[in-house]
């Protein structure tokens, strides 16, 4: 039996490095040698016990690596390809897949629920969730493709343009990537809230027009002041929790758009 090392969640704030069996890729899957993997906010929700998770398999879905083995029925990929993994697979046949809404596939399968994810030396991923990367792209950059895709989708759904003002709540990875995408797509004016000096520096490097350190300033007061009480045209909420949801509601303009990217793990008291 061939084995590998895997980081297994064993309880609240507990991770164990275990020697586990390396499973051959099932039909439709490839075996991926992990080269780089990001820690998503959802992984932290699991780690801190906010979301339930199975302890049998290693988590990790912001994964970049090299195909080590190709399972039966897989076409378009071969051993040695550099790939990034989407966090779920889809059937490509149901009503949602045929309409292009494959994230709602009736047979959607999340990575690391039936196979080990990126927090293992090898993971098995379904071919419908694979995207080839250029060989000259670093694995570090490759691991950022999945969270960057989240940011691109969030900014596109906000439909903000050159005459709009967008607020991004949260200066973590997704918030910073949303800021970078908003600047690249020409959003007129951007604002981001941060908690830490390194987040503030990165936001300024990305070209944020306004960086609010929430330990020193009240975001609602700032937004009310610089919009003359009108509110933001678009808000992307990346943190979670009732406070940020209510801040979004309090600072969006009439007919503005709020995009909720954050993961919520309990019912909220919301001031509608």
């Amino acid at each position: 039996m061939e084995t590998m090392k895997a980081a297994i969640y064993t309880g609240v704030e507990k991770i164990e490095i275990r020697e586990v069996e390396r499973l051959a890729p099932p039909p439709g899957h490839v075996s991926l040698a992990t080269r780089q993997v990001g820690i998503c906010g959802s992984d932290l929700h699991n780690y801190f016990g906010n979301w339930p998770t199975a302890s049998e398999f290693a988590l990790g879905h912001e994964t970049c690596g090299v195909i080590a083995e190709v399972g039966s029925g897989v076409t378009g990929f071969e051993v040695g390809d550099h790939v990034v993994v989407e966090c779920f697979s889809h059937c490509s046949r149901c009503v949602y897949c045929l309409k292009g809404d494959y994230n709602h596939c009736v047979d959607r399968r999340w990575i690391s629920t039936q196979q080990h994810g990126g927090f293992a030396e090898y993971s098995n991923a379904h071919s419908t969730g694979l995207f080839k990367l250029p060989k000259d792209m670093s694995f570090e950059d490759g691991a950022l493709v999945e969270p960057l895709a989240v940011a691109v989708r969030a900014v596109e759904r906000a439909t903000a343009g050159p005459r709009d003002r967008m607020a991004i709540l949260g200066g973590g990875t997704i918030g910073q990537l949303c800021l970078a995408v908003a600047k690249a797509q020409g959003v007129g004016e951007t604002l981001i809230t941060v908690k830490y000096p390194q987040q503030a520096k990165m936001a300024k490097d990305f070209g944020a027009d306004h960086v609010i350190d929430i330990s020193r300033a009240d975001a609602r007061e700032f937004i009310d002041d610089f919009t003359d009480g009108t509110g933001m045209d678009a808000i992307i909420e990346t943190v979670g929790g009732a406070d940020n949801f209510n801040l979004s509601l309090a600072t969006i303009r009439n007919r503005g758009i709020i995009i909720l990217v954050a993961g919520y793990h309990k019912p909220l008291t919301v001031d509608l």
Side-chain angles (χ1 to χ4, degrees):
M1 180 181 72
E2 190 172 357
T3 63
M4 64 179 181
K5 289 183 171 60
I8 307 293
Y9 172 87
T10 59
V12 178
E13 298 187 37
K14 293 180 180 179
I15 298 284
E16 292 183 6
I17 304 298
R18 292 180 176 174
E19 197 77 22
V20 300
E21 181 181 2
R22 180 188 165 191
L23 302 173
H29 291 67
V30 304
S31 178
L32 184 69
T34 303
R35 291 293 180 264
Q36 198 79 21
V37 60
I39 299 175
C40 179
S42 61
D43 295 320
L44 295 178
H45 280 312
N46 293 132
Y47 178 71
F48 289 116
N50 296 323
W51 287 352
T53 184
S55 59
E56 183 179 357
F57 298 109
L59 299 174
H61 58 267
E62 296 179 358
T63 306
C64 180
V66 179
I67 293 180
E69 186 178 353
V70 177
S72 63
V74 174
T75 60
F77 296 96
E78 58 186 25
V79 172
D81 283 344
H82 293 194
V83 294
V84 63
V85 182
E86 198 160 27
C87 59
F88 54 82
S89 65
H90 56 277
C91 73
S92 304
R93 299 183 302 274
C94 71
V95 61
Y96 295 108
C97 287
L98 293 176
K99 289 179 177 292
D101 298 325
Y102 66 84
N103 53 314
H104 293 285
C105 174
V106 297
D107 194 32
R108 182 180 62 185
R109 304 290 178 90
W110 294 98
I111 193 168
S112 76
T113 56
Q114 297 176 312
Q115 304 283 334
H116 290 290
F119 297 157
E121 290 184 281
Y122 291 87
S123 60
N124 289 335
H126 196 273
S127 60
T128 59
L130 296 179
F131 296 85
K132 288 184 183 180
L133 296 176
K135 289 290 180 70
D136 60 352
M137 176 181 282
S138 72
F139 292 118
E140 289 83 357
D141 286 347
L144 287 170
V145 169
E146 194 271 351
L148 177 60
V150 172
V152 170
R153 178 171 170 80
V155 173
E156 287 184 346
R157 288 174 68 88
T159 64
R163 302 176 69 177
D164 293 319
R165 295 181 289 201
M166 173 184 286
I168 299 161
L169 304 186
T173 301
I174 298 297
Q176 298 283 353
L177 290 174
C178 285
L179 170 62
V181 173
K183 297 299 294 186
Q185 293 192 355
V187 174
E189 194 168 6
T190 55
L191 176 153
I192 187 169
T193 63
V194 301
K195 287 179 66 176
Y196 307 107
Q198 67 270 22
Q199 292 179 340
K201 181 182 183 305
M202 181 173 289
K204 291 174 183 175
D205 290 344
F206 278 141
D209 298 292
H210 307 279
V211 179
I212 303 175
D213 182 341
I214 60 173
S215 68
R216 300 182 179 182
D218 184 281
R220 180 171 181 174
E221 291 180 1
F222 185 96
I223 292 171
D224 284 344
D225 182 58
F226 103 88
T227 65
D228 294 322
T230 301
M232 305 299 296
D233 299 294
I235 295 176
I236 299 179
E237 205 287 271
T238 73
V239 181
D243 290 346
N244 289 287
F245 199 154
N246 283 314
L247 175 61
S248 301
L249 293 172
T251 55
I252 194 71
R253 68 163 171 83
N254 293 346
R255 300 196 67 186
I257 296 178
I258 298 172
I259 304 297
L260 301 179
V261 180
Y264 293 85
H265 52 82
K266 62 182 178 180
L268 307 181
T269 300
V270 179
D271 183 4
L272 293 177

mmCIF file of all heavy atoms in Angstrom, residues 131-162:
data_model
loop_
_atom_site.group_PDB
_atom_site.id
_atom_site.type_symbol
_atom_site.label_atom_id
_atom_site.label_comp_id
_atom_site.label_asym_id
_atom_site.label_seq_id
_atom_site.Cartn_x
_atom_site.Cartn_y
_atom_site.Cartn_z
ATOM 1 N N PHE A 131 -8.210 23.182 -14.341
ATOM 2 C CA PHE A 131 -7.863 24.188 -15.344
ATOM 3 C C PHE A 131 -6.352 24.189 -15.515
ATOM 4 O O PHE A 131 -5.612 24.288 -14.534
ATOM 5 C CB PHE A 131 -8.343 25.578 -14.906
ATOM 6 C CG PHE A 131 -9.837 25.684 -14.802
ATOM 7 C CD1 PHE A 131 -10.499 25.302 -13.633
ATOM 8 C CD2 PHE A 131 -10.596 26.147 -15.870
ATOM 9 C CE1 PHE A 131 -11.880 25.383 -13.532
ATOM 10 C CE2 PHE A 131 -11.974 26.227 -15.781
ATOM 11 C CZ PHE A 131 -12.619 25.846 -14.611
ATOM 12 N N LYS A 132 -5.924 24.070 -16.767
ATOM 13 C CA LYS A 132 -4.485 24.046 -17.037
ATOM 14 C C LYS A 132 -3.864 25.420 -16.799
ATOM 15 O O LYS A 132 -4.481 26.449 -17.064
ATOM 16 C CB LYS A 132 -4.224 23.619 -18.476
ATOM 17 C CG LYS A 132 -4.477 22.154 -18.754
ATOM 18 C CD LYS A 132 -4.094 21.828 -20.192
ATOM 19 C CE LYS A 132 -4.411 20.384 -20.523
ATOM 20 N NZ LYS A 132 -4.049 20.054 -21.922
ATOM 21 N N LEU A 133 -2.622 25.393 -16.330
ATOM 22 C CA LEU A 133 -1.865 26.617 -16.107
ATOM 23 C C LEU A 133 -0.652 26.646 -17.028
ATOM 24 O O LEU A 133 -0.107 25.593 -17.381
ATOM 25 C CB LEU A 133 -1.395 26.700 -14.651
ATOM 26 C CG LEU A 133 -2.477 26.788 -13.590
ATOM 27 C CD1 LEU A 133 -1.848 26.761 -12.208
ATOM 28 C CD2 LEU A 133 -3.311 28.047 -13.764
ATOM 29 N N PRO A 134 -0.189 27.812 -17.416
ATOM 30 C CA PRO A 134 1.048 27.891 -18.194
ATOM 31 C C PRO A 134 2.217 27.351 -17.379
ATOM 32 O O PRO A 134 2.266 27.544 -16.148
ATOM 33 C CB PRO A 134 1.220 29.386 -18.464
ATOM 34 C CG PRO A 134 -0.025 30.054 -18.030
ATOM 35 C CD PRO A 134 -0.766 29.137 -17.133
ATOM 36 N N LYS A 135 3.143 26.687 -18.046
ATOM 37 C CA LYS A 135 4.274 26.100 -17.333
ATOM 38 C C LYS A 135 5.178 27.173 -16.703
ATOM 39 O O LYS A 135 5.925 26.888 -15.761
ATOM 40 C CB LYS A 135 5.098 25.225 -18.297
ATOM 41 C CG LYS A 135 4.393 23.932 -18.696
ATOM 42 C CD LYS A 135 4.310 22.950 -17.541
ATOM 43 C CE LYS A 135 3.605 21.657 -17.931
ATOM 44 N NZ LYS A 135 4.366 20.807 -18.840
ATOM 45 N N ASP A 136 5.104 28.411 -17.220
ATOM 46 C CA ASP A 136 5.953 29.460 -16.651
ATOM 47 C C ASP A 136 5.279 30.209 -15.508
ATOM 48 O O ASP A 136 5.856 31.139 -14.956
ATOM 49 C CB ASP A 136 6.394 30.446 -17.740
ATOM 50 C CG ASP A 136 5.224 31.151 -18.422
ATOM 51 O OD1 ASP A 136 4.064 30.767 -18.152
ATOM 52 O OD2 ASP A 136 5.481 32.087 -19.215
ATOM 53 N N MET A 137 4.050 29.817 -15.138
ATOM 54 C CA MET A 137 3.405 30.428 -13.976
ATOM 55 C C MET A 137 3.885 29.731 -12.707
ATOM 56 O O MET A 137 3.945 28.506 -12.644
ATOM 57 C CB MET A 137 1.880 30.331 -14.076
ATOM 58 C CG MET A 137 1.148 30.868 -12.840
ATOM 59 S SD MET A 137 -0.656 30.735 -12.937
ATOM 60 C CE MET A 137 -1.029 32.113 -14.020
ATOM 61 N N SER A 138 4.223 30.499 -11.685
ATOM 62 C CA SER A 138 4.676 29.894 -10.435
ATOM 63 C C SER A 138 3.513 29.184 -9.748
ATOM 64 O O SER A 138 2.343 29.534 -9.949
ATOM 65 C CB SER A 138 5.254 30.964 -9.503
ATOM 66 O OG SER A 138 4.221 31.790 -8.986
ATOM 67 N N PHE A 139 3.842 28.195 -8.925
ATOM 68 C CA PHE A 139 2.795 27.494 -8.196
ATOM 69 C C PHE A 139 2.135 28.417 -7.168
ATOM 70 O O PHE A 139 0.950 28.274 -6.856
ATOM 71 C CB PHE A 139 3.367 26.253 -7.507
ATOM 72 C CG PHE A 139 3.808 25.194 -8.469
ATOM 73 C CD1 PHE A 139 5.134 24.791 -8.531
ATOM 74 C CD2 PHE A 139 2.898 24.595 -9.331
ATOM 75 C CE1 PHE A 139 5.540 23.818 -9.426
ATOM 76 C CE2 PHE A 139 3.295 23.614 -10.235
ATOM 77 C CZ PHE A 139 4.628 23.229 -10.278
ATOM 78 N N GLU A 140 2.899 29.379 -6.646
ATOM 79 C CA GLU A 140 2.322 30.344 -5.709
ATOM 80 C C GLU A 140 1.234 31.157 -6.404
ATOM 81 O O GLU A 140 0.153 31.375 -5.842
ATOM 82 C CB GLU A 140 3.405 31.269 -5.147
ATOM 83 C CG GLU A 140 4.364 30.604 -4.172
ATOM 84 C CD GLU A 140 5.492 29.859 -4.871
ATOM 85 O OE1 GLU A 140 5.506 29.815 -6.124
ATOM 86 O OE2 GLU A 140 6.358 29.304 -4.158
ATOM 87 N N ASP A 141 1.515 31.629 -7.614
ATOM 88 C CA ASP A 141 0.493 32.362 -8.364
ATOM 89 C C ASP A 141 -0.670 31.441 -8.723
ATOM 90 O O ASP A 141 -1.840 31.851 -8.700
ATOM 91 C CB ASP A 141 1.090 32.960 -9.636
ATOM 92 C CG ASP A 141 1.982 34.157 -9.358
ATOM 93 O OD1 ASP A 141 1.942 34.683 -8.219
ATOM 94 O OD2 ASP A 141 2.726 34.565 -10.271
ATOM 95 N N GLY A 142 -0.349 30.198 -9.051
ATOM 96 C CA GLY A 142 -1.395 29.252 -9.417
ATOM 97 C C GLY A 142 -2.393 29.021 -8.303
ATOM 98 O O GLY A 142 -3.598 28.891 -8.549
ATOM 99 N N ALA A 143 -1.912 28.986 -7.059
ATOM 100 C CA ALA A 143 -2.807 28.767 -5.924
ATOM 101 C C ALA A 143 -3.734 29.946 -5.687
ATOM 102 O O ALA A 143 -4.736 29.815 -4.980
ATOM 103 C CB ALA A 143 -1.986 28.474 -4.661
ATOM 104 N N LEU A 144 -3.417 31.094 -6.286
ATOM 105 C CA LEU A 144 -4.270 32.274 -6.137
ATOM 106 C C LEU A 144 -5.354 32.348 -7.205
ATOM 107 O O LEU A 144 -6.224 33.229 -7.147
ATOM 108 C CB LEU A 144 -3.426 33.547 -6.176
ATOM 109 C CG LEU A 144 -2.583 33.829 -4.926
ATOM 110 C CD1 LEU A 144 -1.616 34.968 -5.196
ATOM 111 C CD2 LEU A 144 -3.484 34.160 -3.746
ATOM 112 N N VAL A 145 -5.330 31.445 -8.180
ATOM 113 C CA VAL A 145 -6.311 31.499 -9.262
ATOM 114 C C VAL A 145 -7.727 31.289 -8.724
ATOM 115 O O VAL A 145 -8.661 32.010 -9.102
ATOM 116 C CB VAL A 145 -5.975 30.460 -10.349
ATOM 117 C CG1 VAL A 145 -7.131 30.320 -11.342
ATOM 118 C CG2 VAL A 145 -4.704 30.852 -11.080
ATOM 119 N N GLU A 146 -7.916 30.298 -7.860
ATOM 120 C CA GLU A 146 -9.263 30.017 -7.348
ATOM 121 C C GLU A 146 -9.822 31.193 -6.541
ATOM 122 O O GLU A 146 -10.949 31.650 -6.815
ATOM 123 C CB GLU A 146 -9.238 28.718 -6.523
ATOM 124 C CG GLU A 146 -10.617 28.134 -6.232
ATOM 125 C CD GLU A 146 -11.247 28.673 -4.954
ATOM 126 O OE1 GLU A 146 -10.561 29.380 -4.194
ATOM 127 O OE2 GLU A 146 -12.437 28.372 -4.721
ATOM 128 N N PRO A 147 -9.102 31.740 -5.552
ATOM 129 C CA PRO A 147 -9.656 32.908 -4.856
ATOM 130 C C PRO A 147 -9.795 34.132 -5.761
ATOM 131 O O PRO A 147 -10.718 34.937 -5.569
ATOM 132 C CB PRO A 147 -8.661 33.156 -3.714
ATOM 133 C CG PRO A 147 -7.433 32.400 -4.065
ATOM 134 C CD PRO A 147 -7.869 31.245 -4.900
ATOM 135 N N LEU A 148 -8.916 34.280 -6.750
ATOM 136 C CA LEU A 148 -9.067 35.391 -7.690
ATOM 137 C C LEU A 148 -10.353 35.235 -8.497
ATOM 138 O O LEU A 148 -11.049 36.224 -8.770
ATOM 139 C CB LEU A 148 -7.859 35.462 -8.622
ATOM 140 C CG LEU A 148 -7.918 36.550 -9.702
ATOM 141 C CD1 LEU A 148 -8.019 37.931 -9.084
ATOM 142 C CD2 LEU A 148 -6.701 36.467 -10.620
ATOM 143 N N ALA A 149 -10.701 34.007 -8.864
ATOM 144 C CA ALA A 149 -11.949 33.771 -9.587
ATOM 145 C C ALA A 149 -13.151 34.183 -8.743
ATOM 146 O O ALA A 149 -14.133 34.732 -9.260
ATOM 147 C CB ALA A 149 -12.055 32.294 -9.984
ATOM 148 N N VAL A 150 -13.083 33.933 -7.436
ATOM 149 C CA VAL A 150 -14.146 34.376 -6.527
ATOM 150 C C VAL A 150 -14.286 35.900 -6.597
ATOM 151 O O VAL A 150 -15.396 36.447 -6.678
ATOM 152 C CB VAL A 150 -13.841 33.940 -5.080
ATOM 153 C CG1 VAL A 150 -14.830 34.557 -4.102
ATOM 154 C CG2 VAL A 150 -13.862 32.420 -4.968
ATOM 155 N N ALA A 151 -13.159 36.599 -6.567
ATOM 156 C CA ALA A 151 -13.168 38.053 -6.600
ATOM 157 C C ALA A 151 -13.700 38.583 -7.928
ATOM 158 O O ALA A 151 -14.487 39.548 -7.955
ATOM 159 C CB ALA A 151 -11.760 38.590 -6.336
ATOM 160 N N VAL A 152 -13.289 37.984 -9.037
ATOM 161 C CA VAL A 152 -13.765 38.415 -10.349
ATOM 162 C C VAL A 152 -15.287 38.287 -10.427
ATOM 163 O O VAL A 152 -15.987 39.204 -10.873
ATOM 164 C CB VAL A 152 -13.094 37.602 -11.475
ATOM 165 C CG1 VAL A 152 -13.759 37.873 -12.819
ATOM 166 C CG2 VAL A 152 -11.617 37.935 -11.554
ATOM 167 N N ARG A 153 -15.805 37.155 -9.976
ATOM 168 C CA ARG A 153 -17.254 36.948 -10.014
ATOM 169 C C ARG A 153 -17.973 37.964 -9.120
ATOM 170 O O ARG A 153 -19.009 38.516 -9.509
ATOM 171 C CB ARG A 153 -17.600 35.523 -9.574
ATOM 172 C CG ARG A 153 -19.098 35.242 -9.535
ATOM 173 C CD ARG A 153 -19.359 33.763 -9.302
ATOM 174 N NE ARG A 153 -20.760 33.473 -9.013
ATOM 175 C CZ ARG A 153 -21.723 33.381 -9.933
ATOM 176 N NH1 ARG A 153 -21.441 33.579 -11.198
ATOM 177 N NH2 ARG A 153 -22.954 33.091 -9.588
ATOM 178 N N ALA A 154 -17.438 38.224 -7.934
ATOM 179 C CA ALA A 154 -18.077 39.171 -7.016
ATOM 180 C C ALA A 154 -18.137 40.570 -7.617
ATOM 181 O O ALA A 154 -19.178 41.237 -7.579
ATOM 182 C CB ALA A 154 -17.325 39.195 -5.687
ATOM 183 N N VAL A 155 -17.026 41.025 -8.187
ATOM 184 C CA VAL A 155 -16.991 42.371 -8.762
ATOM 185 C C VAL A 155 -17.902 42.453 -9.982
ATOM 186 O O VAL A 155 -18.608 43.451 -10.188
ATOM 187 C CB VAL A 155 -15.545 42.765 -9.121
ATOM 188 C CG1 VAL A 155 -15.511 44.092 -9.869
ATOM 189 C CG2 VAL A 155 -14.697 42.866 -7.850
ATOM 190 N N GLU A 156 -17.934 41.406 -10.793
ATOM 191 C CA GLU A 156 -18.813 41.421 -11.963
ATOM 192 C C GLU A 156 -20.280 41.473 -11.558
ATOM 193 O O GLU A 156 -21.088 42.184 -12.166
ATOM 194 C CB GLU A 156 -18.543 40.200 -12.844
ATOM 195 C CG GLU A 156 -17.224 40.288 -13.604
ATOM 196 C CD GLU A 156 -17.007 39.118 -14.540
ATOM 197 O OE1 GLU A 156 -17.737 38.116 -14.409
ATOM 198 O OE2 GLU A 156 -16.098 39.212 -15.387
ATOM 199 N N ARG A 157 -20.638 40.756 -10.501
ATOM 200 C CA ARG A 157 -22.026 40.769 -10.047
ATOM 201 C C ARG A 157 -22.409 42.121 -9.440
ATOM 202 O O ARG A 157 -23.591 42.469 -9.390
ATOM 203 C CB ARG A 157 -22.273 39.641 -9.037
ATOM 204 C CG ARG A 157 -22.295 38.259 -9.684
ATOM 205 C CD ARG A 157 -22.397 37.151 -8.654
ATOM 206 N NE ARG A 157 -23.684 37.142 -7.984
ATOM 207 C CZ ARG A 157 -24.756 36.489 -8.417
ATOM 208 N NH1 ARG A 157 -24.700 35.815 -9.554
ATOM 209 N NH2 ARG A 157 -25.884 36.510 -7.746
ATOM 210 N N ALA A 158 -21.421 42.860 -8.974
ATOM 211 C CA ALA A 158 -21.696 44.188 -8.420
ATOM 212 C C ALA A 158 -22.015 45.208 -9.511
ATOM 213 O O ALA A 158 -22.576 46.269 -9.223
ATOM 214 C CB ALA A 158 -20.500 44.669 -7.596
ATOM 215 N N THR A 159 -21.652 44.908 -10.742
ATOM 216 C CA THR A 159 -21.935 45.747 -11.917
ATOM 217 C C THR A 159 -21.543 47.212 -11.716
ATOM 218 O O THR A 159 -22.250 48.116 -12.144
ATOM 219 C CB THR A 159 -23.420 45.659 -12.350
ATOM 220 O OG1 THR A 159 -24.239 46.191 -11.298
ATOM 221 C CG2 THR A 159 -23.830 44.211 -12.633
ATOM 222 N N ALA A 160 -20.428 47.454 -11.055
ATOM 223 C CA ALA A 160 -19.962 48.833 -10.833
ATOM 224 C C ALA A 160 -19.056 49.252 -11.979
ATOM 225 O O ALA A 160 -18.274 48.461 -12.495
ATOM 226 C CB ALA A 160 -19.223 48.932 -9.504
ATOM 227 N N GLY A 161 -19.155 50.540 -12.358
ATOM 228 C CA GLY A 161 -18.372 51.047 -13.460
ATOM 229 C C GLY A 161 -17.588 52.290 -13.098
ATOM 230 O O GLY A 161 -17.422 52.628 -11.917
ATOM 231 N N PRO A 162 -17.128 53.042 -14.097
ATOM 232 C CA PRO A 162 -16.260 54.205 -13.858
ATOM 233 C C PRO A 162 -16.907 55.331 -13.063
ATOM 234 O O PRO A 162 -16.208 56.166 -12.494
ATOM 235 C CB PRO A 162 -15.918 54.674 -15.282
ATOM 236 C CG PRO A 162 -16.175 53.499 -16.157
ATOM 237 C CD PRO A 162 -17.286 52.739 -15.523
#
